Amino acid sequence: MANLVCKRVSTDQQSTARQDLVLEEAGIEDPVVFEEDPGTSSRLHPLQRPKFRELLTYARPGDTAHISEMFRLVRGNQHILDVLDVLHRDRLALRIHDSAFSAMDLTARHPRTGELLSTVKFMVQTLTAAGELRRDLQRELTYDGLRAAEAKDSKGGRRPAVAATKAEDVRTAYLEGLSIAALARDHGVSRGAIRTAVADLLPDHTASEEDAPAPELPVTLDMPGKVADFLRATELEPAERAALDQGATVRRGQGYTLRVSAAPAVHRQLLARCQPLDGGRDLLTVPAQRKARRGYENRVSALTP
């Protein structure tokens, strides 16, 4: 029986040192490690993360999946229940080695019905709600801090991926003929980050205003929260990212929608980005996410071409 270890960090500035310590102290024998690429967002459904999917493909009945703490793998309540269903289907055990879930047998099921024990489900829901409350409070405090900084004319938000000290070198290399893909590889950033650094040098930017079509007016659409969560974890163009970042959150029961104002073309681009939620070849489909995407698709399709 194999011991399969899953590790993940939220940004490329973080390390797995704490997870390594917890897992090392657990004394796991002959671990097979699956480590997500840095920055793989917790908002992305765990069944759609590349390394966790690889772990499930590698696993055989009777194997055990090991995680330092539950929130390294999942965040929302439904994500946990989805993962537990898949582990039960594949006859895999789950061992959490730290924090609230470490003392629980999350795979315990009723001996006759095969359903997850009600006590386990209750504890999962309770502890997940506490985790979501903590994240919501952090988000609110961050928003308040940004508002306070804005009032003092201090610019908040994410730092540019291409540092100011390197931006001129990037622009010079681009003018000398180096491609955006090559620059992205050389500087270890995304292509979108390079495009942002050289935006005013791109061919489309130099087109004459007389030849340019009239800009599309922004349209406000409600984007389901499951779609927004997926897109936030996806590499986007600057206009797409800006539309998401400026969206207004509207609470809907236990979920939410994101009220996004953007040009119809941007909405169509965002819809295309979340195509994986519809499932397909080699993709695990989560019904709730597929339903959310199709709801957004209906709204975007109603826009005038």
Side-chain angles (χ1 to χ4, degrees):
M1 302 301 178
N3 290 308
L4 314 178
V5 171
C6 184
K7 297 191 289 185
R8 185 189 66 82
V9 292
S10 299
T11 72
D12 54 9
Q13 280 77 44
Q14 295 177 328
S15 76
T16 60
R18 182 177 180 278
Q19 298 174 63
D20 294 338
L21 178 61
V22 170
L23 294 168
E24 182 180 345
E25 290 177 344
I28 302 170
E29 295 183 0
D30 301 323
V32 181
V33 179
F34 298 84
E35 184 173 343
E36 296 286 357
D37 290 336
T40 302
S41 174
S42 59
R43 296 187 181 95
L44 187 63
H45 198 292
L47 296 180
Q48 294 170 334
R49 294 194 193 124
K51 286 299 179 180
F52 189 65
R53 286 171 50 195
E54 186 179 325
L55 181 151
L56 293 174
T57 302
Y58 179 92
R60 295 294 179 267
D63 291 351
T64 300
H66 296 266
I67 307 167
S68 62
E69 58 178 329
M70 178 60 82
F71 293 134
R72 289 295 95 200
L73 176 64
V74 296
R75 292 287 181 176
N77 173 61
Q78 190 57 50
H79 286 192
I80 297 180
L81 297 178
D82 289 341
V83 168
L84 293 180
D85 283 343
V86 170
L87 294 177
H88 176 67
R89 180 199 68 193
D90 296 344
R91 289 183 288 168
L92 305 175
L94 176 64
R95 183 74 174 88
I96 311 299
H97 291 279
D98 196 20
S99 298
F101 290 93
S102 60
M104 298 173 56
D105 179 7
L106 296 175
T107 55
R109 291 181 176 259
H110 194 281
R112 286 183 291 278
T113 66
E115 295 181 353
L116 195 66
L117 287 180
S118 57
T119 51
V120 173
K121 185 179 291 187
F122 172 77
M123 290 302 297
V124 165
Q125 293 169 337
T126 301
L127 293 172
T128 304
E132 290 178 347
L133 173 62
R134 182 187 65 183
R135 291 194 304 278
D136 286 345
L137 290 173
Q138 289 174 337
R139 189 180 300 115
E140 291 171 4
L141 290 172
T142 299
Y143 177 75
D144 291 342
L146 291 173
R147 287 289 301 275
E150 183 180 347
K152 296 179 180 179
D153 294 328
S154 175
K155 184 178 180 181
R158 183 180 299 175
R159 295 180 180 178
V162 178
T165 54
K166 296 183 179 180
E168 196 58 39
D169 292 340
V170 168
R171 293 166 62 82
T172 300
Y174 177 76
L175 289 173
E176 291 175 351
L178 203 60
S179 70
I180 287 177
L183 285 166
R185 286 195 302 272
D186 291 347
H187 292 272
V189 298
S190 69
R191 297 184 186 185
I194 298 297
R195 290 192 188 97
T196 300
V198 300
D200 60 322
L201 305 178
L202 295 174
D204 291 344
H205 187 84
T206 59
S208 66
E209 293 183 2
E210 291 79 5
D211 296 334
E216 294 180 310
L217 295 177
V219 176
T220 300
L221 294 180
D222 281 354
M223 176 187 293
K226 294 184 184 299
V227 173
D229 288 345
F230 176 82
L231 289 173
R232 286 190 174 111
T234 303
E235 184 175 322
L236 303 176
E237 294 294 333
E240 300 165 358
R241 180 65 62 189
L244 277 187
D245 290 345
Q246 295 168 11
T249 299
V250 180
R251 290 291 171 186
R252 306 284 188 190
Q254 293 185 346
Y256 76 98
T257 60
L258 189 68
R259 192 152 291 165
V260 178
S261 294
V266 173
H267 280 295
R268 295 187 190 99
Q269 291 167 4
L270 291 171
L271 177 64
R273 299 278 190 193
C274 60
Q275 178 62 42
L277 296 182
D278 239 3
R281 188 174 182 180
D282 298 328
L283 291 176
L284 291 171
T285 304
V286 179
Q289 290 185 325
R290 179 172 57 188
K291 180 179 178 181
R293 183 198 177 277
R294 292 183 177 178
Y296 182 52
E297 181 179 26
N298 291 337
R299 294 165 192 161
V300 173
S301 299
L303 298 175
T304 304

